[in-house]
Amino acid sequence: VFAICRDSGRHIVNYTLDQLEALLDPGSYFRLNRSFISSIRSIKEVRKYFNSRLRVYLSPPPEKEVLISRIKVADFINWMG
């Protein structure tokens, strides 16, 4: 697991994403999918995507696209406020 900071620094983290999710403030961080947890400050844009999913654009941008499953879309929208 890597933590990527806003200055694009990449740091190894000795926790699983499940463990990190439990440690982080749920008001500031959201589990986007199996591969990503993001700070609300890192979300630059959200667009509708195929099959009722959302595509999230982060800063700094990750190497692969970030999609939110249709099951998590309602929770994500509520979290975003």
Side-chain angles (χ1 to χ4, degrees):
V1 173
F2 291 95
I4 300 175
C5 299
R6 292 180 55 87
D7 66 359
S8 298
R10 187 174 168 145
H11 309 278
I12 294 174
V13 179
N14 290 321
Y15 293 99
T16 66
L17 287 181
D18 288 336
Q19 291 169 328
L20 280 176
E21 184 178 18
L23 293 171
L24 295 170
D25 173 15
S28 298
Y29 293 88
F30 188 84
R31 178 81 178 257
L32 302 173
N33 58 35
R34 289 190 220 174
S35 301
F36 291 94
I37 295 174
S38 178
S39 162
I40 197 164
R41 293 179 37 204
S42 294
I43 296 172
K44 294 301 172 195
E45 186 177 354
V46 179
R47 292 186 185 172
K48 289 182 181 179
Y49 195 75
F50 175 74
N51 203 17
S52 302
R53 295 179 290 172
L54 296 175
R55 182 165 180 197
V56 178
Y57 296 85
L58 301 173
S59 176
E63 294 174 4
K64 60 182 183 176
E65 68 182 1
V66 180
L67 300 176
I68 297 178
S69 71
R70 62 179 177 224
I71 295 168
K72 287 192 135 195
V73 166
D75 291 338
F76 178 75
I77 290 171
N78 288 334
W79 176 75
M80 289 288 293

